[in-house]
Amino acid sequence: MTASVLQGHMYISACFSVLDFVSQDEMLTPLGRLDKYISSENIFNRQMVARSLLDTLRAISEDERECVSVLERIDRLADDSEPTVRAELMEQIPHIAIFCQENRPSIPFAFSKYLLPIVVRYLSDQNNLVRKTSQAALLVLLEQELMERGDVESLVCPVLVDLTAPDSSDDVKTEAMAIICKVAPMVGRDVTERLFLPRFCEMCCDCRMFHVRKVCAANFGDMCGVVGGEAAEELLLPRFFQLCSDNVWGVRKACAECFMTVSSASSPDVRRTKLSSLFISLISDPSRWVRQAAFQSLGQFISTFAGPCSNTGQYFRDEAQWSGSQTHRTSADGVCPPQDSVDVAEEGGGEQTAEVLSADEPCCADADAQKCLPEETQPSSRPPVQEIPEQELFNSFHYWRTPVPRIAPELELELELELELEDRRPSAPALDRKQLQELIENLEPHIDDPDVKAQVDVLTAALRATGLDSGLEDAFLEPRAARSNPFSSQQPSEHLPADTQRRGSSLHVTHDDDDSDLSDSSLSAEDQRKSKQQDVVPQALLEQYLSMTDPSRAQTVDMEIARHCAFSLPGVALTLGRQNWHCLRDTYETLASDMQWKVRRTLAFSIHELALILGDQLTAAHLVPIFNSFLKDLDEVRIGVLKHLYDFLKLLHQDTRRKYLYQLQEFLVTDNSRNWRFRSELAEQLVLLLELYSAQDVHDYLRPLALCLCTDRVSSVRWTSYRLVSEIIRKLSSCSSLLVSFLGELVEKFCHSQKWSGRQAFAFVCQLSIEEECLSLDQFSEHLLPPLLQLASDPVPNVRVLLAKTLRQTLLEREYFLSSVNCQQVALEHTLVALQTDVDKDVKYFASVHPGSTRLNEDAMSTTSSTY
């Protein structure tokens, strides 16, 4: 008994000591508490001091002298031997810096004098946690523009450069290079070129640490974007080529991932002649991970070939500008750009452009443009230029040669091959034909390996693209000096081979069967090859992109390669332009029928963007069937179509658009009935679709959908549907008969509904109709106000609350309802008086006073019911 009493006394004494300790802390000033714990031997106390520094500063912010005292103690705390205390302090530095910035008049130069030296010192701290925390704090300070530019250049940048010195540890060097690459865009081009660029180039060649090279490769695009111009091409690109051939696959993979940003910072010539062949080497890399990253970046890289002057077919001009710009300019290299600058808004689909503009044929608008042609193909005698009819204005036949007699098929085929070789000869291949052949021969013994087979396929495509002229010219063409001008007045038979001359005059006499000596199979193969030709991007790149739908790619590269292809397809289509849609059409159809729903979902989310690129005619011909198939797909695919339903349908012709009125009701049926967000998205899209259809179509087809959504079991769907109903009222207000019919239906189905939620919905719609001015006040008073006032006797308080809000906050705000001209004024006043004496206190409140917020979204939703 005595022991228990003693324990009780000890417990009470301990409690009193704790309370006494707390009371002593409360009696201390903020600065006194700081001094008490900053020298504590307990690590957690010092951590608590670091964590409470900002609160201490705020408590004494009015006293400048005490604020300076706290900043001085921060410098003392920065010398703490415990890394966790230093890390905790560094986490608070950005917040303290913001406080100093806000109170700059009272404590000027606080950041640069007390805080910045701590950040700079911690960048080279021995503890990894402290270093990383200081790096994160430095980035925050730069992003918030809390550091003076002079301080960054004189204090921070030299420290970062010193940390990347050869004698630094590997971890420090890697971290410092990573922070340099992140700081470079913030400090600008001048500082980067003077301080960071030399060390960055040096680190790209670090033979000892591949981690440093990997960091450089991963951030190479950002560095090129900061430097830009000649410095990037002269200093950085040679290092980039070295990194792309690094013996560590992780470095090469990082190069593939940043290839698009590097290309964006390069000139078009470098992009086409050097980077394209370099990218082909990454696609054929021995490492599967490098090939995977390269294929994921392929579409993005192709998109960089689209520029202000590229022939993408995307020319949006006003009518006045278009009528005065029918001049044809000659480019610097002597080849006229194709005449594909068709006004998208007026021409629409652009099929004519796609048919007549071949990637292998230059076009010239007048007689002077014959200089664009090679010397051998210029006519010996130039006939006068004839007037071109308007319907033939974009016929490429008129732009590059004058009409000629029909000639023998053999000579015509020879001429076509010659022109193709001249137009498609690569300018600067990375590897010559012999080297590519040697690579293929070395890999053929291991062709059973799927990875090796993929590399052989890539190298074969590169060989065909880069060495097309060397093989074909030797096999089919004679020396240029021995060939005559096919358009000269001499007879072609004088220069044909002997075996061809022996066939007599049938070679140059016009006959009906032009293809009698050519097999159908060879023509189909040739046509199929030509159908994929274009001149916007290197053909080898496009062929690799089109091969991403090959099933073998999924096994040898990436199971998700088809989804990456689908994701980047709109960008590739925009780059190629609508005139080259034939190059992508088969690939798009293959992706649209892919077995993976994620691939089809990706296409469904972007089909409206592709329709905008192609125009209405190509969309109607090629995208509408795919769009229809997506409508019947899984919900995961249909939601992509539904989210952009308005964006797609508005691009279609009115007749085609109207056919979808019959299919909109199918969106009400989902695989999972609990997927209420699907129905909510449908309601939002229906609001947008109202402007695309006539009042009669809205009444016949969209009205039933809206009424059905208004009775949904989820309140969020119903709320969106009420707004849809109010917009339908606005649409039908132009037709009196349809409006009266619809308003009568609303009264019957909602105001007289057996469910209180339906009657509450009627009050919602009435309030929205007045606030959004969906119909005239006369029409509202005649058709909606009498049944609305009847809700004053509704047995459910929630309905009467919303009625009170509607009357007080919406109707009585209009002068119309306060004037004696309104026949419903007396009934309105009597209803309001009855609500002010209601038994429910909420009804009385909203009927008697004017709450601060009058918006429906804030007040009315507080009384609505919710299922979820």
Side-chain angles (χ1 to χ4, degrees):
M1 191 70 178
T2 306
S4 61
V5 171
L6 289 176
Q7 289 179 356
H9 283 298
M10 292 175 61
Y11 176 77
I12 294 173
S13 300
C15 291
F16 276 114
S17 63
V18 171
L19 293 174
D20 184 59
F21 180 80
V22 173
S23 62
Q24 289 179 4
D25 274 0
E26 292 179 350
M27 295 175 61
L28 293 174
T29 63
L31 199 57
R33 282 196 299 269
L34 188 64
D35 289 334
K36 178 180 178 180
Y37 292 108
I38 199 171
S39 57
S40 174
E41 295 182 358
N42 191 329
I43 297 175
F44 299 104
N45 288 339
R46 301 200 300 274
Q47 284 181 329
M48 182 188 67
V49 170
R51 201 174 295 120
S52 61
L53 282 172
L54 183 60
D55 295 333
T56 303
L57 281 171
R58 287 173 177 169
I60 60 175
S61 59
E62 297 180 358
D63 192 332
E64 177 183 348
R65 184 173 300 178
E66 290 192 356
C67 286
V68 174
S69 300
V70 173
L71 293 175
E72 292 174 349
R73 286 160 174 78
I74 290 177
D75 187 62
R76 175 182 167 188
L77 190 64
D79 297 329
D80 197 288
S81 60
E82 177 59 36
T84 56
V85 176
R86 301 198 302 273
E88 187 68 46
L89 173 62
M90 187 50 59
E91 289 183 0
Q92 302 300 320
I93 290 293
H95 305 290
I96 298 174
I98 295 175
F99 172 83
C100 294
Q101 184 73 16
E102 294 173 349
N103 297 270
R104 191 181 184 91
S106 354
I107 41 176
F109 309 111
F111 175 77
S112 59
K113 183 178 180 180
Y114 297 103
L115 303 181
L116 182 57
I118 301 176
V119 177
V120 174
R121 191 198 325 167
Y122 281 7
L123 288 174
S124 56
D125 196 275
Q126 296 298 320
N127 185 268
N128 184 45
L129 176 62
V130 178
R131 284 200 313 272
K132 291 186 177 298
T133 308
S134 64
Q135 294 166 9
L138 176 62
L139 293 178
V140 172
L141 294 173
L142 289 173
E143 290 174 356
Q144 299 293 330
E145 299 181 353
L146 297 174
M147 302 176 63
E148 298 291 340
R149 187 177 184 84
D151 293 338
V152 176
E153 185 174 348
S154 60
L155 298 177
V156 178
C157 293
V159 173
L160 295 176
V161 174
D162 292 340
L163 291 176
T164 59
D167 57 346
S168 298
S169 65
D170 295 339
D171 292 341
V172 173
K173 190 186 300 184
T174 304
E175 293 172 1
M177 184 51 60
I179 200 69
I180 282 177
C181 295
K182 294 178 181 178
V183 169
M186 302 179 186
V187 298
R189 176 176 179 178
D190 180 60
V191 176
T192 300
E193 287 187 352
R194 286 191 292 105
L195 300 179
F196 293 155
L197 187 57
R199 184 55 57 90
F200 181 83
C201 295
E202 180 183 344
M203 292 295 100
C204 289
C205 304
D206 191 327
C207 301
R208 192 167 59 92
M209 275 298 297
F210 81 90
H211 294 290
V212 178
R213 301 197 305 274
K214 184 176 179 181
V215 169
C216 294
N219 298 275
F220 211 96
D222 295 334
M223 190 64 68
C224 288
V226 175
V227 176
E230 297 180 357
E233 295 185 1
E234 294 178 2
L235 300 177
L236 291 178
L237 279 186
R239 306 297 191 279
F240 189 67
F241 275 74
Q242 295 176 7
L243 293 174
C244 287
S245 59
D246 197 277
N247 57 357
V248 178
W249 67 265
V251 178
R252 303 195 303 273
K253 178 176 178 290
C255 291
E257 291 172 345
C258 72
F259 214 94
M260 184 197 72
T261 52
V262 174
S263 177
S264 300
S266 305
S267 63
D269 292 338
V270 171
R271 185 181 303 128
R272 180 174 291 273
T273 58
K274 296 182 180 180
L275 293 182
S276 59
S277 54
L278 178 64
F279 195 86
I280 290 294
S281 67
L282 292 175
I283 287 181
S284 58
D285 194 273
S287 172
R288 175 170 182 166
W289 305 112
V290 179
R291 298 198 305 272
Q292 177 177 328
F295 273 108
Q296 290 180 10
S297 302
L298 178 55
Q300 303 172 14
F301 176 49
I302 290 177
S303 68
T304 62
F305 285 85
C309 299
S310 61
N311 299 325
T312 58
Q314 301 302 311
Y315 291 84
F316 295 90
R317 302 182 181 178
D318 295 335
E319 185 176 357
Q321 292 177 335
W322 174 246
S323 61
S325 60
Q326 296 295 329
T327 58
H328 305 290
R329 294 172 295 179
T330 304
S331 59
D333 58 357
V335 178
C336 295
Q339 298 299 316
D340 61 348
S341 54
V342 182
D343 188 4
V344 173
E346 295 180 5
E347 294 296 331
E351 284 84 355
Q352 181 182 6
T353 308
E355 294 174 2
V356 303
L357 292 181
S358 172
D360 300 328
E361 294 181 355
C363 56
C364 300
D366 49 23
D368 294 336
Q370 294 290 347
K371 298 177 183 179
C372 299
L373 295 176
E375 184 178 354
E376 302 80 46
T377 59
Q378 291 188 11
S380 58
S381 60
R382 189 173 60 199
V385 179
Q386 300 178 357
E387 182 71 16
I388 300 177
E390 183 178 358
Q391 62 271 19
E392 292 293 324
L393 183 61
F394 295 97
N395 192 334
S396 63
F397 187 81
H398 296 292
Y399 295 146
W400 75 283
R401 65 182 180 185
T402 54
V404 295
R406 299 179 67 184
I407 59 177
E410 289 83 0
L411 183 59
E412 186 175 6
L413 178 61
E414 180 181 1
L415 177 62
E416 291 177 356
L417 289 172
E418 176 188 351
L419 292 177
E420 290 176 13
L421 291 172
E422 290 173 351
D423 290 342
R424 296 178 54 199
R425 183 177 289 110
S427 55
L431 299 175
D432 58 20
R433 185 178 181 82
K434 182 178 179 181
Q435 291 173 321
L436 288 172
Q437 289 176 341
E438 291 177 355
L439 289 174
I440 295 175
E441 291 175 358
N442 293 335
L443 292 173
E444 282 181 350
H446 311 284
I447 197 69
D448 295 336
D449 189 347
D451 291 349
V452 175
K453 184 178 183 303
Q455 298 175 44
V456 172
D457 294 340
V458 172
L459 292 174
T460 303
L463 176 66
R464 184 169 59 254
T466 59
L468 183 63
D469 56 339
S470 59
L472 291 178
E473 191 166 357
D474 295 339
F476 297 105
L477 303 181
E478 299 175 0
R480 295 182 184 275
R483 296 200 305 269
S484 65
N485 190 344
F487 302 114
S488 64
S489 58
Q490 296 178 336
Q491 293 295 329
S493 59
E494 296 177 6
H495 302 279
L496 293 177
D499 60 338
T500 306
Q501 293 185 21
R502 283 195 296 269
R503 284 198 288 265
S505 60
S506 62
L507 294 177
H508 54 270
V509 174
T510 301
H511 52 81
D512 295 333
D513 189 7
D514 292 334
D515 300 330
S516 58
D517 296 329
L518 299 176
S519 64
D520 295 337
S521 60
S522 62
L523 281 178
S524 61
E526 182 70 13
D527 293 340
Q528 186 176 5
R529 184 185 64 82
K530 284 186 176 181
S531 66
K532 307 297 182 183
Q533 299 299 317
Q534 44 76 46
D535 61 352
V536 180
V537 301
Q539 188 64 25
L541 288 178
L542 181 61
E543 290 179 359
Q544 292 302 323
Y545 179 79
L546 299 180
S547 70
M548 293 175 71
T549 57
D550 191 340
S552 63
R553 294 291 192 195
Q555 300 177 0
T556 60
V557 180
D558 184 7
M559 291 297 294
E560 299 286 333
I561 190 172
R563 188 162 65 92
H564 293 298
C565 179
F567 181 81
S568 57
L569 194 140
V572 176
L574 178 63
T575 302
L576 296 180
R578 63 178 59 171
Q579 74 275 9
N580 291 314
W581 167 243
H582 58 278
C583 300
L584 298 174
R585 177 184 174 185
D586 294 341
T587 300
Y588 189 79
E589 292 177 351
T590 302
L591 293 171
S593 58
D594 195 277
M595 293 296 295
Q596 301 182 63
W597 64 266
K598 291 183 179 180
V599 177
R600 304 194 304 273
R601 174 186 170 92
T602 303
L603 293 181
F605 270 95
S606 62
I607 192 171
H608 67 288
E609 299 287 356
L610 191 59
L612 184 63
I613 296 170
L614 298 183
D616 57 352
Q617 296 182 22
L618 284 174
T619 297
H622 302 149
L623 296 188
V624 166
I626 295 176
F627 182 84
N628 294 337
S629 67
F630 288 160
L631 293 178
K632 301 177 177 63
D633 214 313
L634 301 175
D635 284 353
E636 290 79 5
V637 179
R638 296 169 69 204
I639 189 62
V641 174
L642 180 59
K643 275 186 174 293
H644 303 284
L645 186 63
Y646 166 78
D647 297 325
F648 184 82
L649 293 184
K650 73 177 181 180
L651 301 174
L652 302 180
H653 191 269
Q654 185 176 358
D655 294 338
T656 306
R657 183 192 306 150
R658 196 172 183 275
K659 296 178 182 178
Y660 289 95
L661 286 171
Y662 308 94
Q663 304 181 39
L664 291 176
Q665 60 182 356
E666 297 177 4
F667 284 110
L668 293 175
V669 181
T670 57
D671 299 336
N672 183 4
S673 60
R674 303 181 68 130
N675 187 8
W676 61 268
R677 289 181 177 87
F678 199 92
R679 301 189 298 275
S680 178
E681 185 64 40
L682 173 61
E684 293 180 1
Q685 288 296 314
L686 290 178
V687 173
L688 300 175
L689 289 177
L690 293 177
E691 71 176 65
L692 301 181
Y693 297 101
S694 64
Q696 187 65 52
D697 287 338
V698 169
H699 182 271
D700 294 342
Y701 298 101
L702 302 187
R703 174 189 55 82
L705 294 178
L707 296 179
C708 180
L709 291 171
C710 284
T711 59
D712 196 272
R713 55 186 300 212
V714 179
S715 65
S716 179
V717 179
R718 297 197 301 270
W719 175 250
T720 307
S721 303
Y722 300 153
R723 178 168 165 260
L724 171 61
V725 169
S726 67
E727 293 298 326
I728 291 179
I729 293 175
R730 185 198 306 276
K731 184 74 176 182
L732 299 181
S733 61
S734 58
C735 181
S736 178
S737 59
L738 295 179
L739 177 64
V740 172
S741 173
F742 182 55
L743 295 180
E745 188 174 10
L746 290 179
V747 172
E748 181 64 27
K749 289 189 174 182
F750 292 99
C751 185
H752 299 158
S753 174
Q754 297 296 324
K755 296 182 178 180
W756 72 269
S757 59
R759 301 191 298 273
Q760 187 187 53
F762 181 78
F764 274 136
V765 172
C766 291
Q767 186 171 8
L768 272 175
S769 300
I770 295 299
E771 288 187 348
E772 303 296 333
E773 299 180 355
C774 298
L775 76 170
S776 67
L777 298 179
D778 290 335
Q779 292 173 325
F780 179 85
S781 298
E782 181 181 357
H783 301 289
L784 294 181
L785 184 56
L788 178 65
L789 297 180
Q790 295 175 5
L791 296 179
S793 57
D794 195 277
V796 179
N798 282 1
V799 178
R800 302 197 304 275
V801 166
L802 186 56
L803 174 62
K805 289 181 179 181
T806 302
L807 298 182
R808 172 63 71 177
Q809 301 175 13
T810 303
L811 296 188
L812 296 182
E813 290 291 316
R814 272 67 178 175
E815 185 67 27
Y816 175 86
F817 294 101
L818 299 176
S819 62
S820 58
V821 179
N822 182 15
C823 59
Q824 300 289 341
Q825 182 194 11
V826 177
L828 182 60
E829 292 178 352
H830 288 170
T831 302
L832 194 59
V833 170
L835 293 174
Q836 290 173 352
T837 58
D838 196 274
V839 294
D840 189 273
K841 62 178 182 179
D842 292 329
V843 177
K844 280 195 290 187
Y845 171 78
F846 284 106
S848 303
V849 301
H850 195 292
S853 175
T854 61
R855 298 306 302 167
L856 181 63
N857 290 351
E858 299 176 8
D859 278 334
M861 281 298 289
S862 63
T863 60
T864 185
S865 62
S866 177
T867 304
Y868 296 102

